[in-house]
Amino acid sequence: EAYQRQRKRLNLEQLLLLASRCLLVALLATAVGKPILDASGAIGPRGPRTLYILLDNSLTASLAEDQSPSALERHKSTALKLVAELEQSRGDRVGLITLASPADATILPATGDLSGVAGVIRDLKPTDAKADFAGALEKLRDTRGDGSNKADEGNAYIALLSEFRVGSTDI
């Protein structure tokens, strides 16, 4: 009876040891394989990406509470981070539409000059108009809607940077 108990315990220990060794091999394969798969493009989007930034520079975006930065400054900071994540060497492109009425296709069609777009974003000033979301989406649709731009199909992203403050637009 003692022999059977000891044998069961040894079998359990051997199974746990086998499972931990298999887990270790799987973790090592994942650690080694991910950089190789990333470099070959097997993981994540292939080819260039296109980012369209819709940035709210309306009157309400210039409001600031207490000592905190205005909504526009926060939006600009987020937009700059998004542009910094793009890679010019891969052929990534970015377009910019400002939302102050009437919506302005500031940089359309999308361009590969990422540093130039970053400069335009830094220089944006608030206007004294409400946000024109419908107009911005219409401009974006007109740019992408005809289906002729196959380069960013599947790899196009839209970033809408607004706080949707009351009075900024007709919902």
Side-chain angles (χ1 to χ4, degrees):
E1 193 174 321
Y3 173 76
Q4 285 179 346
R5 278 185 290 177
Q6 185 177 6
R7 184 75 183 145
K8 286 181 181 179
R9 186 177 57 82
L10 284 174
N11 282 344
L12 179 63
E13 286 177 1
Q14 287 178 347
L15 284 173
L16 290 174
L17 183 60
L18 176 65
S20 65
R21 287 178 177 167
C22 289
L23 181 63
L24 180 65
V25 169
L27 289 174
L28 284 173
T30 303
V32 170
K34 186 169 182 349
I36 294 169
L37 291 174
D38 279 343
S40 69
I43 297 177
R46 292 183 180 183
R49 295 176 291 180
T50 302
L51 173 66
Y52 295 98
I53 299 173
L54 280 63
L55 199 142
D56 186 1
N57 64 331
S58 63
L59 180 62
T60 56
S62 64
L63 298 175
E65 297 174 13
D66 301 326
Q67 299 298 323
S68 64
S70 68
L72 178 60
E73 292 304 317
R74 290 191 306 271
H75 299 329
K76 287 167 46 173
S77 173
T78 302
L80 290 170
K81 287 177 188 173
L82 291 172
V83 171
E85 291 174 3
L86 298 175
E87 297 177 29
Q88 195 162 5
S89 61
R90 182 175 44 196
D92 291 348
R93 298 174 297 146
V94 64
L96 176 66
I97 300 174
T98 56
L99 298 178
S101 186
D104 180 29
T106 308
I107 300 174
L108 278 184
T111 181
D113 183 11
L114 304 181
S115 59
V117 174
V120 170
I121 291 171
R122 279 187 212 96
D123 294 340
L124 277 177
K125 303 287 185 223
T127 62
D128 57 351
K130 69 179 185 175
D132 181 18
F133 293 99
L137 293 175
E138 187 175 313
K139 289 186 184 303
L140 186 60
R141 183 196 67 211
D142 291 345
T143 299
R144 294 199 26 93
D146 60 4
S148 63
N149 192 3
K150 299 288 184 191
D152 60 1
E153 196 170 286
N155 290 328
Y157 303 91
I158 299 171
L160 175 58
L161 304 175
S162 176
E163 291 191 347
F164 300 101
R165 289 183 184 248
V166 175
S168 65
T169 188
D170 294 328
I171 303 293

